[in-house]
Amino acid sequence: MFESADLSHHVPKAVFKREETKLREALLDAQFDLAAQRRFAVLILIAGVEGAGKGETVNLLNEWMDPRHIGVRAFFQPTDEERERPDAWRFWRALPPKGRIGVFFGAWHTMPMVRRALGETTEAEFAQAIGDIRRLETMLCDEGVLLLKYWFHMSKKQQKQRLKALEKNEATRWRVTEHEWTFHEMYDRFVGVSEPFLRETSTGEAPWIVIPGADPRFRALTFGRHLLAALRERLDEKPAKQVPDKTPPLLAPADKVTVLSALDLDQPLDRDDYDKELETLQGRLNALVRDPRFKEMAVVAVFEGNDSAGKGGAIRRVTGALDARSYQTVSIAAPSEEERAQPYLWRFWRHLPGRGQVAIFDRSWYGRVLVERVEGFCAEADWMRAYGEINDFEEAMVRHRIVVVKFWLAISKAEQLKRFKQREKVAFKRFKITPEDWRNREKWDRYETAICDMVDRTSTALAPWTLVEANNKLFARIKVLRTFCEAIEAAMETTGKKRKKKG
Amino acid sequence: MFESADLSHHVPKAVFKREETKLREALLDAQFDLAAQRRFAVLILIAGVEGAGKGETVNLLNEWMDPRHIGVRAFFQPTDEERERPDAWRFWRALPPKGRIGVFFGAWHTMPMVRRALGETTEAEFAQAIGDIRRLETMLCDEGVLLLKYWFHMSKKQQKQRLKALEKNEATRWRVTEHEWTFHEMYDRFVGVSEPFLRETSTGEAPWIVIPGADPRFRALTFGRHLLAALRERLDEKPAKQVPDKTPPLLAPADKVTVLSALDLDQPLDRDDYDKELETLQGRLNALVRDPRFKEMAVVAVFEGNDSAGKGGAIRRVTGALDARSYQTVSIAAPSEEERAQPYLWRFWRHLPGRGQVAIFDRSWYGRVLVERVEGFCAEADWMRAYGEINDFEEAMVRHRIVVVKFWLAISKAEQLKRFKQREKVAFKRFKITPEDWRNREKWDRYETAICDMVDRTSTALAPWTLVEANNKLFARIKVLRTFCEAIEAAMETTGKKRKKKG
């Protein structure tokens, strides 16, 4: 893996100067084209052994490139805000949009390797981390990100020579501390871990590129030339490959019995009972979010449903029980320009709640497998892979002690017609009904298929769907509130149990 | 995940009869087209809970389809021959060729799930197994296999009802033993494991299709209709997607210093020293393969090198030290028709040695990243992903205590010219030189680039490349033999150490 990098490389100063000038010009051109095209984002990962020139390369990038279209992020200790979210959150928030270059100095690869090298994780846990990284990176590539991963390498001998040379020179002595020598002693252990890591996270679309780090000029040229070639290749679009769409079909059941058809949408509940239950449940919910244990968790609630199924009303009954400082409602409509420049899930990751907070999504990431699928806004391959990506996303939340509750509010086609007509009659409700609602209604059957597939493919033990019979609004609201409370209670119990076990 | 499957489904007998007739006809048509087109293979995985109709479905397939183009394989305990090879070997040897349908009844998914359900593996080990499966299945899909994964499901209640019904009936009572009831008691544990498994091994290209198993007629129709739709979709080719080739470029080093240029190809060794060393080393190798410890291992040796670099001569010096019953030489040329109908690595998997055996590959799976890359026989995306697939392949061998030694025999361009001319002069050597050799020689530089990338991307701690300076044939043969012996000795020591630790 490091055969070439371990060789003695050298570029004379004069050659470097000449090449560097050409390279800088070409890189700026590429950067300009990237910004003008705005077709894809570039994400550069900088990693490698100590002293092999990672920092110098980042500095070089800042010097070479137009700073308006490049952003460098170094990841060290997570901030408080970051610690409250799943690990991947801080990487998501730092992703470059289309047209820009993002440089991650130490990213998702750092901790798994360090922990393995220190013996804090087993081989199987290390393999698990590698699997997670492959899935994350595959997703980024599928979303069109040009992912370039550079590994800066030097041999143990070269590292020692470098440290000694730095120590000898008055001007650079300060750069060598105990810390550097400790790292040097750990060289074999670290490289022993990074070798399988590089191997197993190198895919056809995102292979690691090893950069020999010992000679600064060779290093800079090698890195710069590769970056330029990779940018140019994507900017100039190599002839596209014709690939057949390989996703197998999903079919509706032969007997038409579906999770939706099996629901009895008309559930009785009269106003008096409703009022009583509402009060009890809102009180229960309020007590739950003020429970000290709630400070160690968070809730993400997803509301999806047919048009006019009563999502808004149900959400208001939930938020009515909450303190305004403890929740946020996120209405998902068409994505903004900023959001369209990012991978699909970006606009949902950004709204993940911190500890003790509730985030309520009025429509959600399920848009991809519902409206985008039915309307043909994305290719079949894209919504097919979305099921897995969504499950991974929700698993990341649940692993981080975020309770995920998901509601599908279901009404019958006849009930919807009644409500649409009512809305058109009542002046202050008229804004709620648009020609688009009528158009969606025509695609009722196709939506039903999409909904059933969604439930089958994303209702998991960690984050189950709750189907809510919603022809009777009162019943629906009560079922939502009760499920909400029960989900929080169940999570509190699990946490309690875990603590007991530890104690 | 199992929401739809848990519903009560039912298809009346008359409906079924009518539908089945149509379905069978259409399936036979599809099968005929598949065999006529010979464009892709179909692999069907049958899995699921006990009693949900897996066996019945396989029987049905045999009844419905043309038996000449379908092959069913049930995987239970591995045979002796299979146990001597890496786990995946038995699946590789059973893969259907293009134009045929293969049915795997219990495959790579079975053991990881059973072991996890029985608590024999940790969550991290389970995740590792899932990662391995994703990589295997991704590779199969990339190679064009239509992979259809069916999961037969029934609820715990349905399972109980079924067992009771079978017990009640005189004719079927024999089918219910202790065994079945033990499985029933383990239902929750098993489904608790299969749920995350299905979720995490469902990808866009190979999602699990859940088949509700309780009603035999509904089950048969659901399965048959999906199989037909999936076959038809691929046979009729949905409009192909234009995707940009997303592989980043690999570049030659700026200073032209490569692992090849750094070699001193002319190494001295005179005939007398050679004769002495040859005898010693052949004796050492012979003793090693007769060592009792060798019965627990195997060797796979790869010989690659420039044309006329002396691969054949080096191989003969190795085999000269071996008993004819203990080795096999595999010469790799253009693939046969049978081999072209399979995924790329199939023709190498089939030759993996059993315990105590040596397999010597004269050219190998590296053809994809050498000749196929340089000659443009495969797309860039295909040879780029091959590095990872090859590393996975060799890792599977090493994990299974197969020693992997890989030699690149390197000669200079001038030395090659000398040998080519010599060959043309000597009558009994003339068969060794063809116009193709001269053509390859013209692509010398492009081959060098490919060789260096190959070494950088596939020389791993588990299976390192040995570069052999081969302008002097005598030196090359001795280096090969010595490396061969040392690799076996190192592996014996590791095994010895492990045993000591256990003891």
Side-chain angles (χ1 to χ4, degrees):
Chain A
M1 209 106 223
F2 302 121
E3 280 73 6
S4 291
D6 281 341
L7 298 172
S8 284
H9 287 285
H10 177 67
V11 170
K13 203 165 179 176
V15 174
F16 179 74
K17 275 290 145 211
R18 200 178 56 230
E19 293 293 318
E20 193 198 18
T21 312
K22 282 190 283 182
L23 195 56
R24 286 180 70 162
E25 210 172 307
L27 276 171
L28 278 171
D29 273 352
Q31 212 186 349
F32 179 83
D33 291 348
L34 178 72
Q37 289 187 5
R38 276 216 228 168
R39 270 194 308 120
F40 61 94
V42 180
L43 181 57
I44 298 174
L45 304 190
I46 303 282
V49 302
E50 278 303 303
K54 294 183 301 236
E56 289 88 334
T57 305
V58 169
N59 292 341
L60 205 64
L61 264 178
N62 275 328
E63 196 187 312
W64 281 352
M65 309 291 270
D66 180 341
R68 287 169 305 169
H69 301 298
I70 193 166
V72 178
R73 264 300 303 269
F75 295 96
F76 299 106
Q77 290 303 316
T79 64
D80 281 1
E81 232 185 296
E82 289 169 345
R83 243 190 300 271
E84 293 189 2
R85 272 94 179 170
D87 292 343
W89 188 73
R90 57 188 187 138
F91 305 119
W92 274 93
R93 70 195 293 225
L95 283 185
K98 287 174 187 165
R100 279 177 66 88
I101 299 175
V103 182
F104 283 8
F105 189 7
W108 42 79
H109 47 273
T110 313
M111 282 317 289
M113 268 190 280
V114 170
R115 296 193 61 200
R116 180 69 191 129
L118 296 176
E120 290 175 14
T121 49
T122 64
E123 204 183 307
E125 284 164 342
F126 187 49
Q128 185 175 13
I130 284 172
D132 288 346
I133 288 171
R134 284 178 70 108
R135 277 148 85 163
L136 174 64
E137 294 186 349
T138 300
M139 184 273 297
L140 288 174
C141 291
D142 283 344
E143 292 280 330
V145 174
L146 174 58
L147 179 60
L148 299 171
K149 309 191 293 192
Y150 296 102
W151 183 267
F152 290 81
H153 179 80
M154 61 180 8
S155 68
K156 194 172 183 181
K157 211 174 118 193
Q158 288 167 336
Q159 195 181 51
K160 194 174 182 177
Q161 281 168 350
R162 183 176 174 278
L163 290 176
K164 290 228 159 144
L166 286 175
E167 271 183 342
K168 246 190 187 163
N169 187 331
E170 286 263 354
T172 55
R173 194 170 295 157
W174 62 273
R175 294 181 61 179
V176 184
T177 64
E178 273 296 296
H179 188 73
E180 272 67 35
W181 285 110
T182 313
F183 261 110
H184 179 64
E185 276 156 37
M186 282 188 53
Y187 182 93
D188 292 327
R189 227 198 290 173
F190 187 64
V191 172
V193 167
S194 55
E195 201 261 25
F197 183 87
L198 261 63
R199 171 162 49 87
E200 299 194 25
T201 55
S202 278
T203 56
E205 288 183 359
W208 280 98
I209 307 294
V210 177
I211 307 280
D215 181 75
R217 289 192 293 261
F218 180 79
R219 177 180 72 216
L221 268 197
T222 306
F223 170 74
R225 285 171 69 228
H226 190 276
L227 175 60
L228 175 63
L231 287 172
R232 266 310 13 136
E233 206 173 69
R234 184 71 74 91
L235 286 167
D236 303 340
E237 283 216 78
K238 290 192 280 190
K241 233 186 4 171
Q242 285 269 358
V243 295
D245 188 341
K246 286 185 186 160
T247 51
L250 302 180
L251 300 183
D255 62 358
K256 314 280 182 221
V257 175
T258 70
V259 287
L260 290 176
S261 77
L263 288 180
D264 182 357
L265 299 176
D266 295 291
Q267 297 285 342
L269 184 68
D270 65 31
R271 178 60 70 170
D272 285 350
D273 289 341
Y274 168 73
D275 286 341
K276 255 180 279 167
E277 288 215 50
L278 182 68
E279 206 184 319
T280 318
L281 284 166
Q282 286 190 327
R284 187 166 146 198
L285 180 56
N286 188 267
L288 281 171
V289 299
R290 288 189 299 148
D291 188 301
R293 288 173 293 178
F294 194 74
K295 291 209 173 62
E296 295 169 30
M297 53 203 293
V299 175
V300 162
V302 169
F303 285 83
E304 296 277 359
N306 303 106
D307 287 331
S308 82
K311 289 188 293 293
I315 289 173
R316 279 195 300 279
R317 295 329 180 271
V318 171
T319 55
L322 303 174
D323 179 322
R325 283 160 300 184
S326 70
Y327 76 87
Q328 200 197 352
T329 307
V330 186
S331 284
I332 300 297
S336 69
E337 197 189 340
E338 192 187 355
E339 289 169 341
R340 281 198 308 273
Q342 293 283 359
Y344 178 68
L345 287 175
W346 185 84
R347 60 191 178 119
F348 310 106
W349 269 99
R350 69 193 301 203
H351 293 298
L352 288 202
R355 288 281 172 254
Q357 294 282 315
V358 176
I360 294 174
F361 288 83
D362 185 351
R363 303 206 185 272
S364 69
W365 42 95
Y366 285 97
R368 176 144 280 195
V369 298
L370 295 171
V371 56
E372 292 195 26
R373 168 185 174 177
V374 172
E375 303 290 341
F377 293 160
C378 73
E380 184 175 344
D382 291 329
W383 60 258
M384 277 294 284
R385 71 178 159 83
Y387 295 119
E389 291 167 3
I390 286 170
N391 285 333
D392 288 348
F393 176 40
E394 293 177 357
E395 189 182 336
M397 292 191 234
V398 175
R399 274 200 220 162
H400 202 71
R401 272 173 300 135
I402 297 177
V403 181
V404 179
V405 280
K406 307 187 293 198
F407 299 104
W408 178 266
L409 271 62
I411 54 172
S412 65
K413 212 172 167 182
E415 176 67 22
Q416 190 185 55
L417 186 65
K418 211 175 81 189
R419 292 190 189 180
F420 275 16
K421 291 199 168 159
Q422 227 164 23
R423 284 181 176 187
E424 288 186 324
K425 265 188 236 154
V426 183
F428 71 89
K429 279 188 175 172
R430 211 168 289 156
F431 77 96
K432 281 178 147 187
I433 182 100
T434 66
E436 210 191 310
D437 291 322
W438 288 104
R439 274 198 301 274
N440 286 345
R441 198 175 145 75
E442 282 164 28
K443 296 167 192 154
W444 184 274
D445 291 345
R446 276 194 277 161
Y447 271 102
E448 287 228 331
T449 307
I451 297 156
C452 293
D453 286 337
M454 171 186 83
V455 171
D456 280 341
R457 302 207 161 263
T458 61
S459 196
T460 62
L462 297 177
W465 274 102
T466 301
L467 303 180
V468 182
E469 304 85 342
N471 274 1
N472 176 350
K473 282 182 185 180
L474 306 183
F475 175 86
R477 291 169 190 168
I478 295 300
K479 182 165 177 177
V480 163
L481 267 168
R482 186 178 296 116
T483 309
F484 217 103
C485 291
E486 286 169 354
I488 298 174
E489 283 157 358
M492 280 181 176
E493 250 174 56
T494 324
T495 320
K497 262 187 208 158
K498 273 191 194 152
R499 205 179 294 140
K500 258 190 195 165
K501 256 192 191 168
K502 274 189 189 168
Chain B
M1 209 107 223
F2 302 121
E3 279 72 6
S4 290
D6 281 339
L7 298 172
S8 285
H9 288 285
H10 179 67
V11 171
K13 204 167 181 176
V15 174
F16 178 75
K17 277 288 145 214
R18 199 177 58 229
E19 293 293 318
E20 192 198 18
T21 312
K22 282 191 283 182
L23 194 56
R24 286 180 70 162
E25 210 173 307
L27 276 171
L28 277 172
D29 274 350
Q31 212 186 350
F32 179 83
D33 292 346
L34 178 73
Q37 290 188 4
R38 277 218 226 166
R39 271 194 307 119
F40 61 94
V42 181
L43 180 58
I44 299 174
L45 304 190
I46 302 282
V49 301
E50 279 302 303
K54 294 184 300 237
E56 290 87 333
T57 305
V58 170
N59 292 341
L60 205 63
L61 263 178
N62 275 328
E63 196 188 312
W64 280 352
M65 308 292 268
D66 180 341
R68 287 169 305 168
H69 301 298
I70 193 165
V72 178
R73 265 299 304 270
F75 295 96
F76 300 105
Q77 290 304 315
T79 65
D80 281 0
E81 231 184 298
E82 289 169 345
R83 242 190 300 270
E84 293 190 2
R85 271 94 179 170
D87 293 344
W89 188 73
R90 57 188 188 137
F91 305 120
W92 274 92
R93 69 196 295 224
L95 283 185
K98 288 174 186 166
R100 279 178 65 89
I101 299 175
V103 182
F104 282 8
F105 189 6
W108 41 80
H109 47 272
T110 314
M111 283 315 290
M113 267 190 281
V114 170
R115 297 194 60 201
R116 180 69 192 130
L118 296 176
E120 290 176 12
T121 50
T122 64
E123 203 183 310
E125 285 164 340
F126 187 50
Q128 185 175 13
I130 285 172
D132 289 346
I133 289 170
R134 284 179 70 108
R135 278 148 84 163
L136 174 65
E137 295 186 348
T138 299
M139 185 273 298
L140 289 173
C141 291
D142 282 343
E143 292 279 329
V145 174
L146 175 59
L147 179 60
L148 299 171
K149 309 189 295 191
Y150 296 102
W151 183 267
F152 291 80
H153 179 82
M154 60 181 6
S155 67
K156 194 171 182 179
K157 209 174 122 194
Q158 288 167 336
Q159 194 181 52
K160 193 174 184 175
Q161 282 168 350
R162 182 176 174 277
L163 291 176
K164 291 230 159 143
L166 287 174
E167 271 183 343
K168 245 189 188 164
N169 188 331
E170 287 263 352
T172 55
R173 192 170 298 157
W174 60 275
R175 295 182 59 181
V176 184
T177 65
E178 273 297 294
H179 189 74
E180 271 67 35
W181 283 111
T182 313
F183 262 109
H184 180 65
E185 275 156 37
M186 282 188 52
Y187 181 93
D188 292 326
R189 229 198 288 174
F190 187 66
V191 171
V193 167
S194 55
E195 200 260 25
F197 183 87
L198 261 63
R199 171 162 49 86
E200 299 194 25
T201 55
S202 279
T203 56
E205 288 184 0
W208 281 97
I209 308 293
V210 177
I211 308 279
D215 181 77
R217 288 192 294 262
F218 180 79
R219 178 180 73 217
L221 268 197
T222 305
F223 170 74
R225 285 172 68 230
H226 189 275
L227 175 60
L228 175 64
L231 287 172
R232 266 309 15 137
E233 206 173 69
R234 184 70 76 92
L235 287 167
D236 304 340
E237 283 215 79
K238 290 193 281 190
K241 231 186 5 170
Q242 285 269 357
V243 296
D245 188 342
K246 285 186 189 160
T247 52
L250 302 180
L251 300 183
D255 62 358
K256 313 282 182 219
V257 175
T258 69
V259 288
L260 290 176
S261 77
L263 289 181
D264 181 358
L265 298 177
D266 295 292
Q267 297 284 342
L269 185 68
D270 65 31
R271 177 63 67 172
D272 284 351
D273 290 342
Y274 168 74
D275 285 341
K276 256 180 279 169
E277 289 214 50
L278 182 68
E279 207 184 317
T280 318
L281 284 167
Q282 286 191 327
R284 185 166 147 199
L285 180 55
N286 188 266
L288 281 171
V289 299
R290 288 188 300 148
D291 188 300
R293 287 172 292 177
F294 194 75
K295 292 209 172 62
E296 294 169 33
M297 53 203 296
V299 175
V300 162
V302 169
F303 284 83
E304 296 277 359
N306 303 106
D307 286 333
S308 82
K311 289 188 293 293
I315 290 172
R316 278 194 301 279
R317 296 329 180 270
V318 171
T319 55
L322 303 174
D323 180 323
R325 285 160 300 186
S326 70
Y327 76 87
Q328 200 198 355
T329 307
V330 186
S331 284
I332 300 298
S336 68
E337 196 189 341
E338 192 187 356
E339 289 169 342
R340 282 198 307 274
Q342 292 284 359
Y344 178 68
L345 287 174
W346 185 83
R347 61 191 178 120
F348 310 105
W349 269 99
R350 67 193 304 205
H351 293 298
L352 286 201
R355 287 281 171 254
Q357 294 282 316
V358 176
I360 293 174
F361 287 83
D362 185 351
R363 303 206 184 272
S364 67
W365 42 96
Y366 285 98
R368 176 145 282 194
V369 298
L370 294 172
V371 56
E372 292 195 27
R373 169 184 173 178
V374 172
E375 303 290 341
F377 294 159
C378 73
E380 185 175 343
D382 291 329
W383 59 258
M384 278 294 285
R385 70 178 159 83
Y387 294 119
E389 290 167 5
I390 286 171
N391 286 333
D392 289 349
F393 176 39
E394 293 178 357
E395 189 182 337
M397 292 192 233
V398 175
R399 271 200 221 163
H400 203 70
R401 273 174 300 136
I402 297 177
V403 181
V404 179
V405 279
K406 307 187 292 199
F407 299 105
W408 177 265
L409 271 62
I411 53 172
S412 65
K413 212 173 166 183
E415 177 67 22
Q416 189 185 55
L417 185 64
K418 213 175 81 187
R419 294 189 187 179
F420 275 16
K421 291 199 166 159
Q422 230 165 20
R423 284 182 176 186
E424 287 186 324
K425 267 189 232 154
V426 184
F428 71 89
K429 279 188 174 169
R430 210 167 289 152
F431 77 95
K432 281 178 149 186
I433 181 101
T434 67
E436 211 192 311
D437 292 321
W438 288 103
R439 274 198 301 276
N440 287 345
R441 197 175 145 75
E442 282 165 29
K443 294 168 192 151
W444 186 273
D445 291 346
R446 275 193 277 160
Y447 271 102
E448 286 228 332
T449 307
I451 297 156
C452 293
D453 286 339
M454 171 186 83
V455 171
D456 280 341
R457 302 207 161 263
T458 61
S459 196
T460 61
L462 297 176
W465 273 102
T466 301
L467 303 182
V468 182
E469 304 85 342
N471 274 2
N472 177 350
K473 281 183 184 180
L474 307 182
F475 175 86
R477 291 169 190 168
I478 295 300
K479 183 164 177 178
V480 163
L481 268 168
R482 187 178 295 117
T483 309
F484 218 103
C485 291
E486 286 170 356
I488 297 174
E489 284 158 359
M492 281 182 176
E493 251 175 55
T494 324
T495 321
K497 262 187 210 157
K498 271 191 195 152
R499 205 179 294 139
K500 258 191 194 162
K501 254 191 192 169
K502 273 189 187 167

